Amino acid sequence: MSGLLYTLLFTVICVVLGLLVGLVTGLGRLSSNPVITAPLRAYIEVFRCTPVLVQLVWFYYALPVLTGIEMSAVVAATLCLSLYGGAFYSEIVRGGIISIDAGQTEAAKALGMTRLQLLRRVILPQAFKKMVPPLMNQSIMQLKNTSLLSVLAVPDLLYQGQVIAHDTYRPLELYTFIAIAYFAVLLPITIWAKRMEFGSGPKEV
């Protein structure tokens, strides 16, 4: 149970941090300045095109060597999964924003709105409705990815189960319980995400 609670808490932290990174990065990707967009695109492609497990190991073992800054397994895992999620969230944010009709932007500018007011009052409220289903799906993936934390000895659900299985020599029962626990947590969230996806779709007139 302590491992399950740790997994859920870790997921919430990484999702919140990832959303913040994704929002900033997604908005930055809309810039026409290549000095801004080029490094942001490089960051996104690096995290989207490499396995999460490799990233976790690199952040824990290689990044301290590169920077000279020691970090715990929890810090390395949090940083890695937050940036990993941020790369995907940023594309969701960018896609949601550019899906808004350009005429609304022109109308808002004609009314004298600043760029910040345009985003806050017109673009983001509408884009957010379209972004909710993919954001939920990516957050579900973040929860699944926490199962990889056991390779860094982070005391999540899987790691705690491995420890108990090693001590009791009951791998069948322990790993079955772990699978059931993940299923019990993810099934309601998945159903909720599906309902939100259908609910945000076009309505028949």
Side-chain angles (χ1 to χ4, degrees):
M1 291 304 299
S2 66
L4 178 59
L5 291 175
Y6 194 97
T7 292
L8 295 175
L9 178 61
F10 196 89
T11 301
V12 171
I13 293 173
C14 288
V15 166
V16 171
L17 293 177
L19 284 171
L20 292 175
V21 172
L23 179 60
V24 173
T25 306
L27 292 175
R29 286 269 282 128
L30 296 173
S31 172
S32 57
N33 188 346
V35 176
I36 297 176
T37 58
L40 292 179
R41 184 172 182 178
Y43 148 67
I44 291 170
E45 296 304 328
V46 166
F47 278 89
R48 291 177 67 190
C49 298
T50 53
V52 188
L53 181 58
V54 174
Q55 294 172 19
L56 283 168
V57 173
W58 189 89
F59 267 79
Y60 185 54
Y61 293 105
L63 186 59
V65 176
L66 188 65
T67 61
I69 301 174
E70 292 295 328
M71 62 179 70
S72 66
V74 173
V75 172
T78 302
L79 183 61
C80 176
L81 288 186
S82 298
L83 291 174
Y84 172 82
F88 286 88
Y89 288 136
S90 67
E91 289 299 281
I92 295 172
V93 170
R94 187 177 70 90
I97 291 175
I98 64 177
S99 69
I100 303 302
D101 184 71
Q104 298 193 40
T105 301
E106 296 172 0
K109 289 180 178 179
L111 292 173
M113 286 189 181
T114 64
R115 188 176 184 85
L116 183 60
Q117 290 175 327
L118 172 63
L119 282 172
R120 185 167 57 88
R121 297 181 180 180
V122 180
I123 303 298
L124 288 180
Q126 297 181 73
F128 182 73
K129 293 180 181 179
K130 298 183 178 182
M131 290 189 290
V132 166
L135 287 175
M136 287 294 300
N137 289 331
Q138 183 57 40
S139 298
I140 290 171
M141 290 302 300
Q142 286 289 83
L143 176 55
K144 291 181 180 180
N145 288 335
T146 60
S147 63
L148 300 173
L149 300 180
S150 59
V151 301
L152 303 184
V154 175
D156 70 319
L157 175 60
L158 181 57
Y159 179 79
Q160 296 284 28
Q162 290 174 336
V163 171
I164 299 172
H166 180 268
D167 292 340
T168 61
Y169 300 99
R170 306 292 292 271
L172 174 61
E173 294 87 342
L174 265 300
Y175 290 121
T176 300
F177 174 79
I178 290 170
I180 293 173
Y182 274 113
F183 181 80
V185 171
L186 285 167
L187 181 61
I189 300 175
T190 303
I191 293 174
W192 182 40
K194 282 291 183 183
R195 287 180 178 176
M196 295 183 73
E197 183 175 352
F198 288 122
S200 64
K203 303 292 188 297
E204 294 293 336
V205 178

